[in-house]
């Protein structure tokens, strides 16, 4: 027996090299795993919505970026509870459907949560003046209506809140409709 073997025998009495090698090595649980599971529990998958129009569902399914990033889009700009009575998670998806930007959502939140009662008639007059001043045509306004009507939930919300007549909303829908036509996501007259 060599000096090394004798030393090993003293240190590891009762074990042979073959027995130690044959013993299964059990992996100790990672010390941070339990903490991570408490901090970030597995969230159940979102409920499948049945009220999404077929055209919108098909558009969402055809967009690979939506499948990858859709769940987290606009979470900071449209936080939970920011639009009373609205499913904000679906509202974020609708925002992606429309092609809005973060600034649009912040503006919508401001308008929707305004304390003053909406003056829809005044908004209509202001919208008409804005359309004329900006040189928008009847076709532009038709495109904005078509975009809003593509998802009946959008039209219903705009009608119920009166925001569909607000000049900022009308102008933005005209711009979004133009962009959607160019991108091929809004069919109809050019």
């Amino acid at each position: 027996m060599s000096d090394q073997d004798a030393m090993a025998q003293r240190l590891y009495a009762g074990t042979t090299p073959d027995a130690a090698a044959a013993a299964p090595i059990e992996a100790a649980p990672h010390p941070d795993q339990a903490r991570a599971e408490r901090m970030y529990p597995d969230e159940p998958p979102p409920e499948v919505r049945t009220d999404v129009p077929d055209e919108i569902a098909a558009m969402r399914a055809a967009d690979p970026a939506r499948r990858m990033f859709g769940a987290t889009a606009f979470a900071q700009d449209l936080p939970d509870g920011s639009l009373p009575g609205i499913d904000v998670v679906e509202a974020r998806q609708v925002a992606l459907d429309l092609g809005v930007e973060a600034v649009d959502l912040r503006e919508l939140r401001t308008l929707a949560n305004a304390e003053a009662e909406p003056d829809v008639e005044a908004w209509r007059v202001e919208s008409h003046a804005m359309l004329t001043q900006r040189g928008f045509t009847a076709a532009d306004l038709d495109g904005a209506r078509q975009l809003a009507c593509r998802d009946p939930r959008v039209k219903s919300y705009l009608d119920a809140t009166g925001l569909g007549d607000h000049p900022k909303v009308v102008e933005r829908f005209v711009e979004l409709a133009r962009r959607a036509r160019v991108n091929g996501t809004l069919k109809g007259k050019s």
Side-chain angles (χ1 to χ4, degrees), residues 143-184:
R145 285 187 183 119
Q146 185 182 357
L147 181 63
C149 291
R150 183 172 66 182
D151 187 338
R153 301 169 302 168
V154 172
K155 182 180 181 328
S156 175
Y157 178 77
L158 293 174
D159 289 345
T161 60
L163 290 174
D165 292 308
H166 194 283
K168 289 180 180 180
V169 174
V170 171
E171 179 179 19
R172 192 61 183 136
F173 265 81
V174 167
E175 293 166 352
L176 291 170
R178 283 180 168 182
R179 186 185 320 157
R181 276 229 172 82
V182 169
N183 291 339

Side-chain angles (χ1 to χ4, degrees), residues 74-83 88 92 109:
F74 298 126
Q76 291 182 339
D77 302 299
L78 198 59
D80 293 340
S82 60
L83 291 174
V88 177
R92 292 176 194 143
R109 275 189 9 229

